[in-house]
Amino acid sequence: RGCPSKELLPYAGVGNWKDAVMSAWRQAIFLQHGSAAPCARFPQEQQRRLWEAMKTADLEAASSAQRELLCPNLGRCKRLAVRLHISSLTQRHAVLLHPALPLEDSKPTTLHDFVRHVLPPLLPDSAAAGAQASPPEGIEILTHGIHVPLDTPLYWLAFNAMYLDGFVHLAVRLPCSGLGPESS
Protein backbone atom coordinates (compact mmCIF):
# COMPACT_ATOMS: atom_id res chain seq x y z
CA ARG A 1 0.00 0.00 0.00
CA GLY A 2 1.54 3.22 -1.12
CA CYS A 3 4.88 1.49 -1.83
CA PRO A 4 5.98 0.57 -5.34
CA SER A 5 5.83 -3.23 -5.70
CA LYS A 6 9.28 -3.21 -7.30
CA GLU A 7 10.84 -1.87 -4.09
CA LEU A 8 8.92 -3.65 -1.35
CA LEU A 9 7.92 -7.29 -1.57
CA PRO A 10 4.63 -8.35 0.03
CA TYR A 11 4.92 -9.94 3.47
CA ALA A 12 3.22 -13.32 3.69
CA GLY A 13 4.10 -14.21 7.27
CA VAL A 14 6.99 -15.44 9.41
CA GLY A 15 7.93 -17.98 6.72
CA ASN A 16 9.21 -15.12 4.54
CA TRP A 17 11.43 -13.91 7.37
CA LYS A 18 12.66 -17.42 8.13
CA ASP A 19 13.61 -18.03 4.48
CA ALA A 20 15.50 -14.72 4.28
CA VAL A 21 17.34 -15.11 7.60
CA MET A 22 18.29 -18.75 7.12
CA SER A 23 19.39 -18.06 3.53
CA ALA A 24 21.66 -15.25 4.76
CA TRP A 25 22.96 -17.55 7.51
CA ARG A 26 23.83 -20.27 4.95
CA GLN A 27 25.47 -17.63 2.76
CA ALA A 28 27.65 -16.46 5.66
CA ILE A 29 28.74 -20.02 6.45
CA PHE A 30 29.49 -20.64 2.75
CA LEU A 31 31.65 -17.49 2.59
CA GLN A 32 33.62 -18.56 5.65
CA HIS A 33 34.26 -22.13 4.58
CA GLY A 34 34.22 -21.72 0.80
CA SER A 35 31.80 -24.62 0.66
CA ALA A 36 28.19 -25.50 1.44
CA ALA A 37 29.31 -28.72 3.17
CA PRO A 38 29.20 -27.38 6.77
CA CYS A 39 25.55 -26.35 6.32
CA ALA A 40 24.71 -29.66 4.68
CA ARG A 41 26.29 -31.54 7.60
CA PHE A 42 24.55 -29.37 10.21
CA PRO A 43 21.64 -31.59 11.39
CA GLN A 44 18.10 -30.44 10.55
CA GLU A 45 17.14 -30.58 14.22
CA GLN A 46 19.97 -28.19 15.11
CA GLN A 47 18.92 -25.88 12.26
CA ARG A 48 15.37 -25.93 13.64
CA ARG A 49 16.67 -25.12 17.13
CA LEU A 50 18.82 -22.33 15.68
CA TRP A 51 15.78 -20.85 13.95
CA GLU A 52 13.70 -21.10 17.15
CA ALA A 53 16.50 -19.38 19.09
CA MET A 54 16.64 -16.60 16.50
CA LYS A 55 12.86 -16.22 16.45
CA THR A 56 12.64 -15.96 20.25
CA ALA A 57 15.81 -13.83 20.55
CA ASP A 58 17.52 -16.49 22.66
CA LEU A 59 20.96 -15.09 21.95
CA GLU A 60 22.83 -17.65 24.03
CA ALA A 61 21.30 -20.64 22.20
CA ALA A 62 21.71 -18.99 18.77
CA SER A 63 25.31 -18.06 19.50
CA SER A 64 26.10 -21.57 20.74
CA ALA A 65 24.77 -23.14 17.54
CA GLN A 66 26.52 -20.63 15.30
CA ARG A 67 29.88 -21.04 17.03
CA GLU A 68 29.87 -24.72 16.06
CA LEU A 69 30.13 -23.63 12.43
CA LEU A 70 32.74 -20.88 12.79
CA CYS A 71 36.14 -21.60 11.33
CA PRO A 72 38.36 -22.96 14.08
CA ASN A 73 41.26 -20.69 13.11
CA LEU A 74 42.17 -17.91 10.71
CA GLY A 75 44.18 -20.20 8.45
CA ARG A 76 41.11 -22.33 7.63
CA CYS A 77 38.76 -19.40 7.09
CA LYS A 78 38.30 -18.47 3.42
CA ARG A 79 36.35 -15.22 3.81
CA LEU A 80 34.48 -13.28 6.48
CA ALA A 81 30.87 -12.35 5.77
CA VAL A 82 30.53 -8.56 5.99
CA ARG A 83 27.67 -6.29 4.98
CA LEU A 84 28.28 -2.56 4.84
CA HIS A 85 25.30 -0.26 5.32
CA ILE A 86 26.33 3.09 3.89
CA SER A 87 24.29 6.23 4.43
CA SER A 88 24.40 9.98 4.85
CA LEU A 89 21.85 12.70 5.43
CA THR A 90 21.65 13.48 1.73
CA GLN A 91 21.91 10.04 0.11
CA ARG A 92 19.90 6.83 0.13
CA HIS A 93 20.91 3.92 2.29
CA ALA A 94 22.92 1.37 0.31
CA VAL A 95 23.98 -2.13 1.32
CA LEU A 96 27.20 -3.67 0.06
CA LEU A 97 27.92 -7.35 0.59
CA HIS A 98 31.67 -7.69 0.44
CA PRO A 99 33.46 -10.78 1.71
CA ALA A 100 36.64 -9.93 3.57
CA LEU A 101 39.91 -11.81 3.68
CA PRO A 102 40.65 -12.88 7.26
CA LEU A 103 44.41 -12.51 6.68
CA GLU A 104 46.51 -10.15 4.58
CA ASP A 105 50.24 -10.79 4.35
CA SER A 106 49.91 -13.40 7.13
CA LYS A 107 48.42 -10.81 9.53
CA PRO A 108 44.78 -10.53 10.62
CA THR A 109 42.88 -8.11 8.40
CA THR A 110 41.79 -5.03 10.31
CA LEU A 111 38.77 -2.82 9.76
CA HIS A 112 41.18 -0.23 8.34
CA ASP A 113 42.47 -2.73 5.75
CA PHE A 114 38.94 -3.70 4.78
CA VAL A 115 37.58 -0.15 4.45
CA ARG A 116 40.69 0.89 2.55
CA HIS A 117 40.07 -1.95 0.07
CA VAL A 118 36.29 -1.61 -0.27
CA LEU A 119 35.76 2.15 0.13
CA PRO A 120 39.12 3.75 -0.73
CA PRO A 121 37.84 7.37 -0.80
CA LEU A 122 37.06 7.15 2.91
CA LEU A 123 40.68 6.75 3.93
CA PRO A 124 43.17 9.11 2.30
CA ASP A 125 46.35 7.65 0.79
CA SER A 126 48.36 9.40 3.48
CA ALA A 127 46.83 7.21 6.17
CA ALA A 128 49.21 4.28 6.56
CA ALA A 129 47.62 0.92 7.25
CA GLY A 130 46.82 0.61 10.92
CA ALA A 131 48.19 4.07 11.70
CA GLN A 132 44.77 5.52 12.39
CA ALA A 133 42.60 4.16 15.21
CA SER A 134 39.46 6.05 14.20
CA PRO A 135 37.92 7.15 10.89
CA PRO A 136 38.43 10.65 9.49
CA GLU A 137 36.36 13.54 10.85
CA GLY A 138 32.63 13.16 10.24
CA ILE A 139 32.74 9.47 9.26
CA GLU A 140 31.36 6.91 11.67
CA ILE A 141 31.72 3.13 11.49
CA LEU A 142 29.51 1.23 13.89
CA THR A 143 28.30 -2.26 14.69
CA HIS A 144 25.53 -2.88 17.21
CA GLY A 145 25.46 0.90 17.68
CA ILE A 146 29.07 0.98 18.91
CA HIS A 147 31.88 2.91 17.20
CA VAL A 148 34.51 0.46 15.98
CA PRO A 149 38.20 1.46 16.01
CA LEU A 150 39.91 0.97 12.66
CA ASP A 151 42.58 -1.26 14.19
CA THR A 152 39.97 -3.87 15.18
CA PRO A 153 40.65 -7.26 13.54
CA LEU A 154 37.73 -8.36 11.34
CA TYR A 155 37.91 -11.91 12.67
CA TRP A 156 37.39 -10.54 16.19
CA LEU A 157 34.26 -8.78 14.92
CA ALA A 158 33.08 -11.99 13.21
CA PHE A 159 33.54 -13.94 16.44
CA ASN A 160 32.23 -11.34 18.90
CA ALA A 161 29.89 -9.03 16.99
CA MET A 162 28.22 -11.06 14.27
CA TYR A 163 24.48 -10.72 13.96
CA LEU A 164 22.05 -13.63 14.08
CA ASP A 165 22.27 -14.05 10.29
CA GLY A 166 26.00 -14.83 10.59
CA PHE A 167 27.16 -11.53 9.07
CA VAL A 168 29.11 -8.67 10.56
CA HIS A 169 26.94 -5.66 9.76
CA LEU A 170 28.87 -2.39 9.69
CA ALA A 171 27.02 0.91 9.48
CA VAL A 172 29.08 3.56 7.71
CA ARG A 173 27.67 7.03 8.30
CA LEU A 174 29.05 9.68 6.01
CA PRO A 175 28.92 13.44 6.23
CA CYS A 176 27.21 15.29 3.37
CA SER A 177 30.38 15.13 1.25
CA GLY A 178 29.55 13.18 -1.89
CA LEU A 179 31.40 10.06 -0.75
CA GLY A 180 28.26 7.92 -0.54
CA PRO A 181 26.72 5.26 -2.72
CA GLU A 182 25.11 7.66 -5.24
CA SER A 183 28.09 9.96 -5.71
CA SER A 184 29.63 8.11 -8.65
Side-chain angles (χ1 to χ4, degrees):
R1 298 177 197 181
C3 294
S5 62
K6 292 179 183 174
E7 291 183 31
L8 186 63
L9 298 175
Y11 178 71
V14 75
N16 286 53
W17 185 58
K18 178 182 180 182
D19 291 346
V21 171
M22 294 306 285
S23 177
W25 174 77
R26 284 188 290 276
Q27 184 181 29
I29 299 303
F30 177 85
L31 289 170
Q32 248 190 47
H33 293 273
S35 165
C39 287
R41 286 191 304 261
F42 199 60
Q44 286 290 350
E45 179 58 26
Q46 283 185 278
Q47 288 186 41
R48 188 194 63 71
R49 279 190 292 217
L50 174 61
W51 168 246
E52 288 300 318
M54 288 178 180
K55 191 169 76 171
T56 60
D58 183 347
L59 301 180
E60 189 172 316
S63 177
S64 174
Q66 288 181 333
R67 289 193 193 282
E68 288 181 41
L69 294 172
L70 285 176
C71 289
N73 61 55
L74 285 175
R76 293 190 53 200
C77 187
K78 305 291 185 217
R79 300 273 189 273
L80 300 173
V82 179
R83 286 191 200 273
L84 291 169
H85 301 267
I86 307 163
S87 66
S88 76
L89 293 175
T90 60
Q91 296 169 344
R92 283 182 36 197
H93 172 246
V95 179
L96 173 66
L97 165 61
H98 198 290
L101 292 172
L103 295 169
E104 283 188 18
D105 299 325
S106 300
K107 295 187 308 193
T109 302
T110 64
L111 181 58
H112 181 278
D113 300 328
F114 178 69
V115 171
R116 191 69 206 278
H117 175 73
V118 177
L119 301 170
L122 295 186
L123 298 175
D125 287 337
S126 61
Q132 207 172 347
S134 60
E137 183 74 28
I139 296 173
E140 296 179 297
I141 302 175
L142 306 103
T143 190
H144 295 280
I146 300 168
H147 288 91
V148 183
L150 289 176
D151 59 355
T152 304
L154 284 181
Y155 191 78
W156 186 91
L157 287 172
F159 193 75
N160 294 290
M162 88 174 148
Y163 280 70
L164 291 176
D165 65 359
F167 279 81
V168 173
H169 290 266
L170 296 170
V172 179
R173 293 186 193 158
L174 303 172
C176 304
S177 65
L179 291 172
E182 296 180 354
S183 62
S184 46

